[in-house]
Amino acid sequence: MYYSGINYEELWKLKVKDVLDEKGEAKGIIESGGKKMPLYISKTLKEEINRFFGSTLPLYDRESYVFVSQKGYHFTAQTLQDKIKNLLQSAKLPKVNFRTSFVKTLIDQGIEPHVVRKLARVKNLDMLIKTYYDEDPPDLLKVLNGIDL
């Protein structure tokens, strides 16, 4: 999730066919999960997806949801969020908003705001700036010292 900026509401809607191509490999672009804008999948995330499905791939129906209970029931978004929260607590990792972390990492790396908007699948640039830039403005001295005037 961190490597894509996907949120829980989109994550729980993903089906195997949304994530894997016909050969059973992770797709580079996911066109589903609740949003109309494409979700771009990094090399690192593709490796994680392939590892997740691994040798159990033949057990998955392409129409089934990616995240199901041991009894085969589809999780709700809230249940999935709770399970991930519990995993983070068990691993003694801080609570994190994956979408916010993803966007702020892109911003901190100096990625162009228009590109960040597309990767984060935010409808317009104003919304992106109000939500992520204004909330926690970049270190202005760091920016200033990184340019040649």
Side-chain angles (χ1 to χ4, degrees):
M1 288 177 17
Y2 175 80
Y3 293 111
S4 70
I6 195 169
N7 63 34
Y8 296 107
E9 192 67 31
E10 297 168 294
L11 189 66
W12 81 276
K13 293 179 183 177
L14 288 176
K15 291 188 174 185
V16 173
K17 69 179 183 179
D18 299 330
V19 179
L20 301 178
D21 63 20
E22 297 296 327
K23 296 177 188 173
E25 295 290 318
K27 292 181 177 180
I29 300 174
I30 295 176
E31 302 268 355
S32 188
K35 284 216 177 189
K36 301 291 182 218
M37 300 166 80
L39 176 68
Y40 296 93
I41 305 301
S42 69
K43 179 182 170 186
T44 303
L45 183 55
K46 283 176 75 170
E47 290 169 0
E48 290 299 320
I49 291 169
N50 288 331
R51 190 177 359 262
F52 174 80
F53 284 99
S55 61
T56 62
L57 181 59
L59 302 176
Y60 286 90
D61 172 11
R62 290 188 53 75
E63 291 296 323
S64 70
Y65 289 98
V66 172
F67 296 100
V68 294
S69 69
Q70 290 178 345
K71 294 180 182 178
Y73 299 113
H74 181 212
F75 287 131
T76 65
Q78 186 61 53
T79 301
L80 185 60
Q81 185 174 359
D82 292 343
K83 290 196 173 294
I84 292 172
K85 181 181 171 185
N86 290 338
L87 285 170
L88 290 171
Q89 286 175 343
S90 296
K92 296 185 180 8
L93 295 171
K95 181 182 173 195
V96 64
N97 179 313
F98 293 105
R99 183 184 213 84
T100 300
S101 298
F102 175 71
V103 170
K104 287 189 177 199
T105 298
L106 294 173
I107 291 169
D108 289 347
Q109 291 181 5
I111 304 299
E112 177 71 32
H114 291 281
V115 174
V116 174
R117 183 192 67 77
K118 285 185 179 183
L119 290 174
R121 294 163 303 124
V122 175
K123 290 182 182 178
N124 62 57
L125 193 56
D126 287 342
M127 185 184 294
L128 177 83
I129 291 170
K130 287 177 186 170
T131 305
Y132 297 103
Y133 283 84
D134 290 348
E135 177 186 296
D136 187 22
D139 183 344
L140 298 178
L141 285 177
K142 185 175 166 184
V143 171
L144 186 59
N145 290 330
I147 59 175
D148 216 5
L149 295 176

